[in-house]
Amino acid sequence: QVQLVESGGGSVQAGGSLRLSCAASGRTFRRETMGWFRRAPGKERQFVARIISGGSSTYYAESVKGRFTISRDDAKNTVYLQMNSLKPEDTAVYYCVATQNNGISYAYWGQGTQVTVSS
């Protein structure tokens, strides 16, 4: 059974940092694009960041560029999201995602981890 399990969420004050982890199991995601989405209360789901197979290219939403860093450790089948200079508007449930057969859409989703940033 393929699973993506996020961890590392929590509550921080504005300006603080958190590091999210996403541990994949059931298959290797070495050749897949992996990423993060988030959903804030009352808002639509929003793309946050993605990293391609091998980690040579990353892409970020404008709202997090320069503050968030996505990385991956394929030996551990894990993707990370380092979040610095957090703002209250970063408060959301964060979801780890992965493609299948390196397709365009994200076939795999984690259950989400809550990030709360207080002012």
Side-chain angles (χ1 to χ4, degrees):
Q1 181 182 0
V2 176
Q3 282 189 309
L4 301 178
V5 180
E6 302 96 335
S7 62
S11 298
V12 294
Q13 290 191 327
S17 298
L18 283 174
R19 188 194 195 203
L20 304 184
S21 299
C22 171
S25 61
R27 55 157 289 186
T28 179
F29 286 88
R30 183 181 302 271
R31 293 185 173 83
E32 306 293 353
T33 295
M34 301 189 75
W36 293 88
F37 279 73
R38 67 186 182 186
R39 187 190 294 273
K43 295 188 177 180
E44 293 187 354
R45 188 174 61 197
Q46 178 189 28
F47 165 80
V48 175
R50 67 170 181 260
I51 184 167
I52 68 169
S53 171
S56 61
S57 177
T58 57
Y59 186 77
Y60 298 91
E62 283 297 322
S63 59
V64 307
K65 197 175 293 185
R67 300 187 298 123
F68 290 11
T69 302
I70 188 171
S71 62
R72 63 191 296 162
D73 184 340
D74 289 329
K76 296 181 178 179
N77 224 17
T78 299
V79 64
Y80 305 96
L81 186 68
Q82 178 67 44
M83 306 186 295
N84 298 328
S85 302
L86 282 162
K87 304 175 181 180
E89 50 264 44
D90 294 319
T91 294
V93 177
Y94 284 71
Y95 299 91
C96 175
V97 297
T99 58
Q100 184 177 33
N101 297 323
N102 211 20
I104 296 175
S105 61
Y106 295 103
Y108 300 105
W109 291 73
Q111 83 289 347
T113 186
Q114 176 70 46
V115 171
T116 302
V117 185
S118 58
S119 57

